[in-house]
Amino acid sequence: MSADREIQHVIVPGRHHLLTRFQAAYLGELLAGRGRDENGEPIAVAADAVVVWAVTSANHSATRRNPFPGHRREAAIEILAHVGRMPSIVVPVVDVAPTPRFAEITLKQIGYATAQGVIPAPETAIIATSTPQVADMYRGLGYRIAPMERDHSDAPRTPWQLLDDLMAGSDGWRADAHAASLDIVDRYGLAAQAREIAADPVIGDEGGLTQTRDYRTYSRAFEDAAERKWPRRAPGSCPAASSTWAARRGRCSSWHRRSRPWPSLT
């Protein structure tokens, strides 16, 4: 890690469902050269430094961990950047399976999305995150960490805490949310959508079936229902009612072809 060269890029990785007033103020102070890293060392920032918002799981929406679509999250960031006159670039990062190389993947995506215009090297970039696990990954690649909410004297609420409030039906999140997020959430009715998702017992954290349900259970339930309905079939229906569904499907198709020829079109 190097604290000698000026920082050109402030990387802010996260899902960014809700932006906070604290985030905007913190990043503004950092760009003004008044920030310190997690070790208490001052962060020297170049006059033309840019905030790079890496929006992770940008292709996921309508799940408990990703209730808002990526384009809405991106829109809120653009509003914050415009209103706050904060030089920013927004980079969508697709969802990937858990991997210790996620930080590396995100950094490569930043380079790709900007046509290699932004190459966030450890000497000229700093990672702004309060999540310890995320900080560990970037620290392992040689990057300095700006801790944001973590261990801050004001104990600001994190975006995740605000999102938990919103999905639980509370309006307490609004007090700490940035006006850009308030605008997007209200304009597109995202709070109501998120609460519907949270209340759905079938949807899991990432949008699939919950951990207490699995595909085989659901598949077998449908098959059992078919088994119960076949004995009540109408006269003239397929006689293969006692066989399994998979076998019956093939036998009945054959039976229907024999017993019910296509009508003449002439």
Side-chain angles (χ1 to χ4, degrees):
M1 300 182 190
S2 173
D4 299 327
R5 297 177 61 180
E6 288 187 329
I7 295 298
Q8 295 285 344
H9 303 114
V10 179
I11 313 297
V12 190
R15 303 195 186 204
H16 300 308
H17 293 92
L18 292 174
L19 307 174
T20 69
R21 292 187 292 112
F22 172 82
Q23 281 180 311
Y26 182 93
L27 293 172
E29 288 290 295
L30 198 156
L31 288 175
R34 295 189 288 268
R36 292 183 177 272
D37 66 16
E38 62 182 349
N39 298 317
E41 296 293 330
I43 303 169
V45 180
D48 58 349
V50 175
V51 177
V52 181
W53 303 78
V55 181
T56 57
S57 295
N59 59 327
H60 269 203
S61 64
T63 73
R64 288 182 180 173
R65 289 186 62 80
N66 294 296
F68 304 160
H71 63 281
R72 301 295 188 215
R73 297 180 250 162
E74 189 170 338
I77 294 170
E78 296 287 8
I79 294 173
L80 181 152
H82 178 74
V83 171
R85 298 183 180 276
M86 183 181 297
S88 295
I89 295 174
V90 185
V91 175
V93 180
V94 299
D95 188 79
V96 298
T99 170
R101 297 184 56 215
F102 186 65
E104 182 181 348
I105 292 170
T106 300
L107 293 168
K108 287 183 177 179
Q109 180 62 26
I110 291 172
Y112 174 78
T114 60
Q116 306 305 317
V118 175
I119 305 296
E123 297 79 15
T124 57
I126 192 165
I127 311 299
T129 180
S130 63
T131 307
Q133 296 88 339
V134 174
D136 287 344
M137 287 191 290
Y138 285 97
R139 196 183 299 111
L141 296 176
Y143 289 86
R144 298 168 68 193
I145 305 297
M148 299 193 76
E149 297 92 353
R150 179 162 49 92
D151 298 328
H152 195 279
S153 58
D154 294 338
R157 303 182 72 202
T158 66
W160 273 118
Q161 290 173 319
L162 269 60
L163 184 62
D164 285 344
D165 266 5
L166 181 152
M167 297 189 75
S170 168
D171 285 332
W173 64 276
R174 301 182 68 89
D176 296 307
H178 191 275
S181 282
L182 292 172
D183 176 27
I184 293 296
V185 170
D186 291 347
R187 202 180 339 157
Y188 295 102
L190 299 183
Q193 295 176 27
R195 287 162 184 165
E196 287 181 9
I197 292 165
D200 193 324
V202 176
I203 298 178
D205 285 350
E206 301 297 347
L209 299 176
T210 61
Q211 292 181 354
T212 58
R213 297 167 170 84
D214 61 86
Y215 175 78
R216 289 186 180 87
T217 300
Y218 275 88
S219 178
R220 185 60 204 171
F222 282 118
E223 185 169 323
D224 289 346
E227 295 283 355
R228 291 193 301 271
K229 292 176 181 178
W230 268 92
R232 298 195 295 270
R233 66 194 184 280
S237 60
C238 173
S242 60
S243 60
T244 64
W245 174 250
R248 183 170 61 231
R249 181 173 55 186
R251 290 168 60 184
C252 288
S253 296
S254 175
W255 183 84
H256 276 290
R257 284 195 298 271
R258 294 196 308 272
S259 62
R260 297 185 180 182
W262 292 104
S264 173
L265 299 179
T266 59

